[in-house]
Amino acid sequence: MLLSPEPLHIPDGFLTPLLAAIGWLFAAIIISIALRQTRQQLGERQVPLMGILAAFIFAAQAINFPVAAGTSGHLLGGALAAIVMGPWAAALIMTAVVSVQALIFQDGGLLALGWNILNMGVLTAFAGYFSYRAMHKWIGRSTSGRVLAAFAAAWLSMEVGAIAAAIELALSGTSPLRIALPAMASVHALIGVGEGLITSGAVRLLQASRPDVLDAGDSAPGRLPAAFVASGLFLAILLGAFSPLAANSPDGLEYVARIGGFISLAEVPAFAFLPDYTIPFITHPAVTTILAVTIGTLIVFSVTLIVGRRTARKEV
C-alpha cells in the first residue's frame, strides 16, 4: 500500500539499497557544509525567519491543488526559501521539512530520505536561487521583474528536482530513463506552474509588506519584531487548516508510478506515528488532518529554530 506520496517524495522500494545509501552520504555531506555556510552568513537575529519559512512551507505542502491530466501538486518551497534566506539556509529549512514529513508522518521512505532531501531541498534551493538571481539581474529590479523572476525560478526548481528523481529511478532499475524522464518532467512541468504562482505571490506580498526581507539576499533581514514572527506562525497554522480541502488526485510521482507500472514496489513504512497526516485515535477526517498538520507545523517551526540557533553566529 502506498501512503499518498507528495510530488518527489520517494517511498522505500523505489530505489536500491546501495543508491539509497549513496543518497544518505551525499545528503550528510551537503548538510554539514550548509551548517558551516549558514554559520558564516546568518546571525541569531535572523533565525526566526527560518522558522516561519519552514512552518509556511510545511503547511503549504499539505494542500494539494489539481492540475491537468488527473494529477495534483503542491508547493515545494525550496526556491522561495532560497530567495529569502540564500541557498544554504534554505537547504537546512527544507531538510527540516522533509525529515519531519518522513519521520513523523511517514511521507517518503526512511531509506530514500537522503535523496528526498537532495531532490526537494538542496537541488530546488540552489536551482531556484541562482536562476532567480540571474533572471532578476537580467529582467530588472522592479517589483514586476522580481515577481517574474521568482515564478520562473520556482518552475525551474520543480523541474530540476523531477529530473533528478527520474534519473534515480532509472539507476535503480525501477523505470527506464526513456520512460521516467519524460513522464516526470512533463507532469512536474504542470505542477511547476502552481509552484511558480505561489512563490511569485509570496514574493509580491513580501515586496509590499517587508521589502527588506527580499533585499538582504544571503544575509537575510535584521531582527524581526516578535509580532511579525507570531503573525507568520499563525498564518502558517491557519494555512494548514485548509489541508482537508486538498485535491484527492494522485500527485506527481504517484501518477508516474501508476502509469509506469511500478507503484507496487512501494513498501509499507516500518512504523506509523501519524501516518498520512492523521491522528490514529481521531476518526473525523477533517479534524484529524487539521490537527496532524498543525502539530507538524509546530514541530517543523521548533526544529528549525533549534537548528538555526545552534548554527547561526552569536551576536552581541
Side-chain angles (χ1 to χ4, degrees):
M1 177 180 178
L2 185 60
L3 295 177
S4 301
E6 306 293 347
L8 304 184
H9 276 93
I10 301 174
D12 286 336
F14 281 13
L15 305 180
T16 63
L18 176 59
L19 188 63
I22 293 173
W24 268 96
L25 176 61
F26 286 167
I29 293 172
I30 295 298
I31 291 170
S32 65
I33 296 173
L35 289 170
R36 291 197 298 270
Q37 291 294 325
T38 301
R39 182 176 293 111
Q40 295 173 7
Q41 296 170 357
L42 301 183
E44 58 185 353
R45 71 180 185 276
Q46 295 142 356
V47 170
L49 185 57
M50 291 178 63
I52 293 173
L53 280 168
F56 173 81
I57 290 168
F58 177 88
Q61 285 197 12
I63 304 176
N64 283 36
F65 50 81
V67 296
T71 61
S72 65
H74 66 60
L75 177 75
L76 281 182
L80 175 61
I83 289 169
V84 177
M85 299 296 302
W88 293 111
L92 294 182
I93 290 170
M94 295 303 298
T95 296
V97 171
V98 176
S99 297
V100 168
Q101 288 170 335
L103 296 172
I104 305 298
F105 300 95
Q106 288 70 64
D107 191 359
L110 293 182
L111 293 178
L113 180 57
W115 286 114
N116 282 330
I117 289 173
L118 292 169
N119 295 344
M120 300 177 62
V122 176
L123 291 177
T124 59
F126 278 88
Y129 176 78
F130 286 111
S131 57
Y132 171 79
R133 292 290 293 266
M135 286 182 285
H136 188 207
K137 183 178 180 180
W138 176 58
I139 296 173
R141 296 186 176 275
S142 64
T143 298
S144 59
R146 192 190 293 269
V147 170
L148 181 59
F151 177 92
W155 183 89
L156 180 62
S157 72
M158 175 73 75
E159 280 295 275
V160 169
I163 291 170
I167 293 173
E168 292 146 22
L169 293 174
L171 290 175
S172 295
T174 302
S175 179
L177 189 62
R178 68 179 186 277
I179 296 175
L181 182 57
M184 289 291 286
S186 60
V187 168
H188 288 89
L190 297 174
I191 298 173
V193 174
E195 176 88 4
L197 290 173
I198 296 171
T199 301
S200 59
V203 167
R204 181 181 290 276
L205 178 61
L206 287 172
Q207 178 67 26
S209 60
R210 288 296 302 261
D212 58 307
V213 170
L214 296 173
D215 292 337
D218 288 345
S219 299
R223 188 180 302 275
L224 296 173
F228 181 87
V229 177
S231 298
L233 180 59
F234 173 77
L235 288 176
I237 293 173
L238 183 62
L239 178 64
F242 290 91
S243 54
L245 301 179
N248 292 322
S249 302
D251 29 33
L253 180 57
E254 183 179 1
Y255 176 80
V256 172
R258 288 183 178 181
I259 63 173
F262 58 88
I263 194 169
S264 60
L265 297 176
E267 298 177 357
V268 176
F271 64 94
F273 187 49
L274 298 179
D276 207 18
Y277 301 92
T278 61
I279 299 177
F281 56 85
I282 298 179
T283 57
H284 190 284
V287 173
T288 192
T289 300
I290 291 173
L291 289 178
V293 172
T294 299
I295 291 172
T297 301
L298 293 173
I299 291 175
V300 167
F301 178 77
S302 301
V303 168
T304 307
L305 282 185
I306 292 171
V307 172
R309 285 173 177 168
R310 290 182 176 273
T311 302
R313 65 180 182 273
K314 302 299 180 182
E315 297 171 321
V316 179

